[in-house]
Amino acid sequence: MEVVLQTLVDGLVVGAFYSLIALGYTMVFGIIKLLNFAHGDLYMLGAFIGFSLLSWLTGDGTGAAGLMGIGVVFLLAMFLVGVIGMGMERLAYRPLLLAPRLSILITAIGVSLFLENGAMIVWSPNFLVYPLQLPQDGWEIFGAHISYTQAALIAISALLMYGLQLFIQRTIYGKAMRAIALDQTACHLMGIDVHRVIGLTFFIGASLAAGAGVMSGAYYGTVNFMMGFIIGLKAFTAAVLGGIGSIPGAMLGGFLLGMMETAGTFLIGGSWKDVVAFSVLILILVLKPTGIMGEKVTERM
Amino acid sequence: MKQQVRRLLQLLLLLLAIVFPFGVNNYWLDVATLVLFYVVLSQGLNVVVGFAGLLDLGYAAFFAVGAYTTGILMTVYGWSFWMTIPVAILLAAISGVIIGAPTLRLRSDYLAIVTLGFGEIIRILAINLDITGSASGIYGIPRPSIVGYTLSGQSDFYYLILLLAILTILAVSRLGRSRIGRAWMYIREDEDAAEAMGINRIRMKLLAYSIGAVIGSLAGSVFAVKMSAIAPLSFSFMQSIMILLAVVLGGLGSIPGVVLGALLVIVLPEVLRSAEDWRYLIFGAALVVMMIYRPQGVWPARYEAVPERQSRDKSAAAAGSLTESDGRSRELS
């Protein structure tokens, strides 16, 4: 019982990170049908920018950042990476929106290489220790340990996702996004500034990934310039699992993947957890190619 | 006349490749050997992506299949190198079908992800299984020998892989012009129309996967004896991406283009070596610029069969396999 509950909690935390990153994937894919392979690197950038801001705030880790300080750093990192994400779209993807799929995919790989190696030059290739100690104490529920940090991370993620859901359902920009995902040409004719909305989509996706980056940096304690790559793949898996293009699907997929991985780690050992993730992905794609919440895509003729 | 000039150029290039080891130091010989490995690998992937239009992001897995088959058979069972090759070919063909079969129904993006997943699974298997030597890999793979002469020097392996590269190029270019190759290109351009014309879509796709896999595994077998040690690190996602880059940079479906692409992918980072940490950053930026200004690759494929429609064919070739009229609006240009 406690094991199940513990797995559930740990899985929820990992799943929250996956969900936040998967959202960016799914939004970008939904709107311009691009697999943005550089998205995982935005998560890495978020973690690093958070690291630099926190180091600066605490004076190289000697002081302690208050809750307020952490909050400011969190939001600032999200904003900065959001701007980087927008710049990425403007410089690298926009000229290629009409190009074949493969060219834009290669561009995404180029951007990813650029960001990874840029981060390596700026922050050194070493593992850096996050200048932040999060409390380990928490509640004991039925023998499972839930730290305050875990609870807070899950809460923050849920809040961000709820905010996004509201934004997409209630605001005019959210409406425009949904419309563009359906038919770009018609939107253009209707006077929607398509590029602006696409830029906004990148901004939101990038800042959510950055939020996940700061949180996971604080949670795991170390950051490295390669950290974005594998988690980008996982988030992608999560997005596909939930049905790519679907926002609730990305959230669900992230949580499910996080839990399956944690369960897999418990059952067959940590070194196999990626096999679990990818096997699930392949099974889902073969059995139900649209994912759990994806819409049926009519075959193009 | 044009044909003759081309023949002459090809001969000259071949001659240059043959005398190359005599004129350079070991470092550049090593780089050239690596280029030739990439020529073989990218031609293999060219069959899958360039001809048949199946985006494969896990191609390094087949490279691994060949390398590990040869490595295990030679170190554990003491087979001769040449005996391991048929086994590697067989295993690669089977794994090509295994990867191909469930993915045939999928759309191109999903196909890309499934192949990526398979590639990662193969790599993780290599890291975790005992028979593959786990993370440290297999070492002490013996040198192969031909009628008493043991291949050991750097230039010996250069010639071995050069031979493989030439054979691969010949095979792939002939395949591309054959009935099968034309069937692949029809599938790439329009699957449904191809099927309506009587092409067996499933068989052709599986064939493309298997042939690509076999070529990749041959490169892997040679790689195993050349390095005499293999580790999972050599078969990462990045490796698959670099091979794909070679194909796309050179020009999808274009044989000389893909050779040039392989050269660029290996030599550019080497030339940039003086830039140290900056080289992959520059490489990444160069890729973006390249895709923006010349998305069809350095040396795109040309199809000369229908001269009056050449301009359209060219753009179709440039657009490559994955052009889809998927709601991307024209107005955005």
Side-chain angles (χ1 to χ4, degrees):
Chain A
M1 180 62 204
E2 50 262 44
V3 172
V4 175
L5 202 66
Q6 189 70 57
T7 306
L8 201 70
V9 172
D10 294 344
L12 266 179
V13 178
V14 184
F17 299 152
Y18 288 163
S19 292
L20 283 175
I21 309 163
L23 279 170
Y25 258 120
T26 249
M27 287 168 74
V28 168
F29 186 86
I31 205 158
I32 58 170
K33 305 283 176 285
L34 160 70
L35 303 183
N36 184 9
F37 268 107
H39 194 68
D41 296 308
L42 292 172
Y43 157 90
M44 175 270 296
L45 270 187
F48 270 112
I49 289 178
F51 168 84
S52 287
L53 288 174
L54 272 175
S55 308
W56 175 72
L57 193 73
T58 56
D60 290 325
T62 45
L67 214 55
M68 185 71 184
I70 297 171
V72 170
V73 165
F74 184 68
L75 292 177
L76 206 59
M78 279 179 72
F79 176 76
L80 288 175
V81 176
V83 172
I84 293 172
M86 259 167 94
M88 181 169 101
E89 187 268 337
R90 182 73 193 82
L91 292 175
Y93 298 149
R94 191 175 295 179
L96 283 165
L97 276 182
L98 283 176
R101 278 274 175 77
L102 201 55
S103 326
I104 194 160
L105 195 70
I106 298 289
T107 313
I109 293 164
V111 172
S112 170
L113 274 176
F114 184 87
L115 290 180
E116 258 167 37
N117 289 280
M120 189 189 81
I121 292 165
V122 175
W123 283 285
S124 91
N126 306 318
F127 278 88
L128 301 175
V129 179
Y130 235 63
L132 190 63
Q133 285 300 318
L134 293 174
Q136 283 307 310
D137 47 347
W139 304 285
E140 298 286 333
I141 300 172
F142 301 118
H145 181 77
I146 303 164
S147 70
Y148 297 136
T149 314
Q150 285 177 322
L153 291 182
I154 295 170
I156 295 172
S157 310
L159 217 62
L160 284 175
M161 287 184 233
Y162 182 64
L164 178 72
Q165 189 70 19
L166 280 185
F167 179 83
I168 287 183
Q169 295 301 333
R170 300 282 169 82
T171 64
I172 191 83
Y173 279 107
K175 205 173 188 175
M177 270 177 203
R178 283 179 288 144
I180 290 175
L182 279 179
D183 190 336
Q184 233 175 66
T185 319
C187 288
H188 202 83
L189 292 171
M190 288 299 168
I192 296 174
D193 189 344
V194 172
H195 284 317
R196 197 172 152 154
V197 177
I198 293 176
L200 185 69
T201 310
F202 268 88
F203 179 85
I204 296 174
S207 45
L208 288 178
V214 177
M215 286 198 283
S216 77
Y219 183 62
Y220 295 115
T222 54
V223 285
N224 176 262
F225 78 105
M226 284 303 286
M227 71 192 271
F229 169 68
I230 192 81
I231 207 147
L233 285 188
K234 298 284 189 58
F236 187 81
T237 306
V240 172
L241 182 64
I244 194 154
S246 152
I247 288 178
M251 300 178 200
L252 183 71
F255 281 121
L256 277 180
L257 185 68
M259 274 184 264
M260 280 189 285
E261 255 191 41
T262 322
T265 308
F266 175 72
L267 291 174
I268 50 177
S271 54
W272 292 98
K273 71 171 187 200
D274 292 355
V275 173
V276 174
F278 291 118
S279 307
V280 166
L281 172 76
I282 291 169
L283 269 180
I284 291 276
L285 281 179
V286 169
L287 298 177
K288 193 171 184 320
T290 50
I292 297 169
M293 300 184 85
E295 287 159 31
K296 178 95 183 76
V297 183
T298 39
E299 281 293 311
R300 99 199 137 83
M301 295 305 279
Chain B
M1 182 61 204
K2 208 179 155 208
Q3 190 74 28
Q4 280 168 331
V5 172
R6 192 184 296 166
R7 272 280 150 75
L8 204 68
L9 272 176
Q10 281 169 351
L11 265 177
L12 265 176
L13 245 155
L14 187 61
L15 221 68
L16 192 74
I18 290 171
V19 298
F20 187 80
F22 298 105
V24 293
N25 57 17
N26 275 346
Y27 167 69
W28 282 108
L29 187 61
D30 214 40
V31 173
T33 311
L34 198 60
V35 169
L36 288 173
F37 271 111
Y38 263 69
V39 169
V40 178
L41 286 168
S42 53
Q43 290 295 357
L45 187 61
N46 193 21
V47 170
V48 184
V49 186
F51 288 170
L54 306 162
L55 182 51
D56 187 345
L57 292 181
Y59 190 69
F62 300 127
F63 189 41
V65 167
Y68 274 105
T69 306
T70 297
I72 291 168
L73 286 179
M74 286 181 82
T75 53
V76 180
Y77 301 99
W79 286 33
S80 114
F81 170 65
W82 310 103
M83 290 295 292
T84 68
I85 286 184
V87 183
I89 289 177
L90 190 72
L91 283 180
I94 293 172
S95 53
V97 171
I98 290 176
I99 294 178
T103 60
L104 288 165
R105 296 184 302 131
L106 299 177
R107 294 188 301 130
S108 62
D109 332 303
Y110 287 159
L111 184 67
I113 301 308
V114 168
T115 51
L116 192 159
F118 267 115
E120 284 298 294
I121 288 176
I122 295 256
R123 191 178 63 87
I124 298 166
L125 283 180
I127 293 177
N128 286 309
L129 291 178
D130 283 333
I131 191 153
T132 55
S134 55
S136 52
I138 296 174
Y139 41 86
I141 299 167
R143 300 297 190 187
S145 57
I146 315 170
V147 284
Y149 176 71
T150 309
L151 301 175
S152 55
Q154 249 180 343
S155 54
D156 293 341
F157 287 107
Y158 173 85
Y159 285 121
L160 183 62
I161 187 73
L162 179 66
L163 186 72
L164 182 61
I166 292 168
L167 287 177
T168 309
I169 290 172
L170 283 178
V172 172
S173 66
R174 295 206 72 109
L175 262 176
R177 283 193 302 255
S178 71
R179 201 181 151 80
I180 296 171
R182 292 199 308 271
W184 282 334
M185 286 172 212
Y186 295 144
I187 290 177
R188 179 186 77 192
E189 297 303 329
D190 192 330
E191 217 171 277
D192 299 313
E195 184 132 49
M197 300 304 281
I199 291 169
N200 187 336
R201 183 169 62 108
I202 290 179
R203 193 190 292 168
M204 282 300 149
K205 280 188 176 180
L206 285 182
L207 193 65
Y209 264 119
S210 296
I211 289 177
V214 165
I215 294 173
S217 81
L218 283 176
S221 293
V222 177
F223 183 77
V225 287
K226 195 249 164 190
M227 304 307 280
S228 90
I230 44 176
L233 204 67
S234 310
F235 313 104
S236 61
F237 176 65
M238 209 53 216
Q239 186 79 285
S240 301
I241 289 298
M242 292 309 255
I243 303 166
L244 182 66
L245 283 186
V247 177
V248 178
L249 273 185
L252 281 170
S254 150
I255 310 274
V258 170
V259 173
L260 190 65
L263 190 78
L264 285 178
V265 164
I266 299 301
V267 173
L268 270 188
E270 289 301 329
V271 172
L272 289 171
R273 199 172 268 282
S274 56
E276 307 224 341
D277 287 351
W278 292 80
R279 64 191 181 128
Y280 277 104
L281 184 114
I282 298 169
F283 189 54
L287 268 182
V288 176
V289 173
M290 163 94 198
M291 279 300 128
I292 290 174
Y293 292 103
R294 204 170 166 77
Q296 73 273 42
V298 190
W299 194 334
R302 284 165 214 280
Y303 301 102
E304 285 148 4
V306 201
E308 65 274 10
R309 282 179 52 206
Q310 198 164 28
S311 60
R312 232 195 97 194
D313 282 0
K314 234 188 269 176
S315 62
S321 50
L322 301 142
T323 331
E324 281 171 28
S325 47
D326 49 3
R328 217 177 268 153
S329 71
R330 292 266 150 216
E331 282 73 17
L332 279 171
S333 64

